[in-house]
Amino acid sequence: MKWGRLFLNKKLKVLLTNPIHPDCYQELVQECDVVVAPDIKPETLKNLISDCDGLIVRCHLPPDIFDNAQQLKAVVRHGVGLDFIPVDAASKKRIPVANLPGSNTNAVVEYCLATIFYFRRKLDLIDSLLRAEGWAKARPLADPSVEIANTTLGIIGFGAIGSKLAQAVSGLKMKTISFTRRPEALPNGVQAVSKAELFSQSDVIVVCCPLNEETRGLVDQGSISAMKSNAILINIARGPVVDTQAIIDALKTRAIAGAAMDVHDQQPLTGKEAVFDCPNLLLTPHIASITASSMKGMSEGSVKTILEIFRGNRPNSIVNPEVFS
């Protein structure tokens, strides 16, 4: 099909599962008819997709979302992770799917750095105690602080985020090791290790691998039990990569020093989950990749990519290029 010719003859219709940056929304409206889903319930999305030509995704799609897609020509992930999209189902219907590699890398790396310092320097606790009980009570909290220089960062999954994080901590004199399916691609200065070695040697562990059948449950009870007592774990991958109960048990028994979870087994959290009654656990609502800068960048990339596909081009970020065969 000559999508470029079709695009020139009429406005195509694009469904947004969630709002995008207002400047980018206006750019898209100039070229297409745009519908923003009023909610992200499966039935709502399946009904709205029936007469749409394009879809920009910011939420989990129902697995049968494409069954009712009569004229869909492009799906673009407003971000990187593809577990939101049933890519195989799209491929069966010859619908190209694209994502935006590197679009939120800086934001996620900064989140990881902020989390490391949150646990190592405890400035929030020191500030609170100083205000509540005075200088003499707050001052001793600094004494057990551990500098991150000459400690070891273990990265699980060494893609764009892992690479940039390793560069960032090298200036802080951290040693970096990684457990990755492509150890031969690691840069100089980053040592490839086994999963067991990573958990036993690391002072900070960052989980940033994609979620798939190989990585589901990768960080299990056995791995966590091998961690140092002063180590912290940061999960910015997906909730099911990490055994949440094992983390809770380790924190409650002081077997590890801390953990940060930006992603969770079920989202959104309701406030009733066991993680809310767990010490030394930093909880955030899947915001590691979200800053004003990254949101605008992802919106710009989404609009540019979907228009490129409509015009008959093939962006490099297409993840199922076989649909063009």
Side-chain angles (χ1 to χ4, degrees):
M1 179 184 292
K2 298 295 186 181
W3 294 338
R5 184 179 299 278
L6 179 62
F7 178 79
L8 292 174
N9 291 339
K10 72 167 188 176
K11 275 192 170 184
L12 301 186
K13 187 175 182 179
V14 175
L15 173 63
L16 310 180
T17 64
N18 306 75
I20 63 175
H21 191 280
D23 292 349
C24 305
Y25 175 83
Q26 290 303 321
E27 179 184 352
L28 186 60
V29 166
Q30 291 177 14
E31 304 282 359
C32 302
D33 292 327
V34 182
V35 176
V36 182
D39 59 65
I40 57 172
K41 296 176 182 177
E43 290 307 313
T44 300
L45 297 177
K46 287 191 285 186
N47 288 334
L48 290 174
I49 200 68
S50 62
D51 64 343
C52 288
D53 302 284
L55 174 64
I56 293 179
V57 180
R58 285 189 59 201
C59 71
H60 276 284
L61 298 178
D64 57 348
I65 181 70
F66 302 127
D67 290 356
N68 197 35
Q70 304 301 317
Q71 58 193 52
L72 197 62
K73 302 168 182 65
V75 177
V76 177
R77 172 72 169 97
H78 188 282
V80 180
L82 291 167
D83 56 304
F84 280 16
I85 301 170
V87 177
D88 288 344
S91 298
K92 287 177 182 177
K93 296 202 71 172
R94 304 186 67 79
I95 302 169
V97 177
N99 65 347
L100 306 173
S103 59
N104 55 22
T105 299
N106 284 339
V108 177
V109 168
E110 289 185 6
Y111 174 93
C112 293
L113 294 174
T115 302
I116 294 170
F117 289 121
Y118 170 88
F119 281 107
R120 292 309 188 212
R121 298 307 296 265
K122 300 185 182 298
L123 298 183
D124 58 326
L125 296 178
I126 293 172
D127 174 79
S128 297
L129 196 59
L130 175 60
R131 294 172 186 273
E133 299 187 37
W135 186 285
K137 291 286 187 180
R139 167 61 185 78
L141 289 185
D143 293 338
S145 296
V146 178
E147 296 182 22
I148 66 173
N150 303 313
T151 62
T152 299
L153 170 67
I155 299 176
I156 299 177
F158 203 87
I161 292 170
S163 177
K164 192 128 193 174
L165 181 58
Q167 292 175 25
V169 301
S170 67
L172 300 171
K173 298 183 179 180
M174 286 191 84
K175 173 186 175 182
T176 301
I177 60 178
S178 179
F179 173 56
T180 173
R181 61 186 179 86
R182 294 183 59 212
E184 72 281 358
L186 291 175
N188 291 335
V190 179
Q191 180 186 353
V193 295
S194 68
K195 175 182 167 183
E197 289 171 329
L198 183 137
F199 278 91
S200 64
Q201 296 176 17
S202 298
D203 299 286
V204 177
I205 297 171
V206 175
V207 185
C208 53
C209 57
L211 173 63
N212 53 46
E213 290 311 306
E214 292 182 4
T215 62
R216 187 178 297 273
L218 178 69
V219 182
D220 53 14
Q221 193 278 332
S223 301
I224 295 166
S225 66
M227 290 173 61
K228 298 179 181 180
S229 60
N230 66 343
I232 63 173
L233 183 140
I234 303 168
N235 185 12
I236 47 90
R238 288 292 185 265
V241 175
V242 175
D243 183 337
T244 300
Q245 187 58 52
I247 287 288
I248 292 172
D249 293 343
L251 290 170
K252 286 189 172 181
T253 59
R254 308 286 178 177
I256 62 174
M261 293 182 178
D262 184 53
V263 287
H264 311 276
D265 295 331
Q266 296 293 327
Q267 296 184 185
L269 295 175
T270 65
K272 298 179 181 179
E273 292 83 359
V275 292
F276 285 91
D277 186 32
C278 187
N280 300 319
L281 177 57
L282 174 65
L283 298 174
T284 52
H286 204 160
I287 49 80
S289 65
I290 297 178
T291 65
S293 301
S294 69
M295 289 300 289
K296 185 172 184 180
M298 287 186 282
S299 293
E300 288 174 343
S302 298
V303 170
K304 177 181 178 181
T305 301
I306 205 161
L307 294 181
E308 283 292 300
I309 297 173
F310 284 167
R311 289 169 178 146
N313 299 321
R314 301 183 189 180
N316 292 332
S317 59
I318 295 286
V319 299
N320 58 344
E322 65 274 11
V323 302
F324 295 107
S325 300

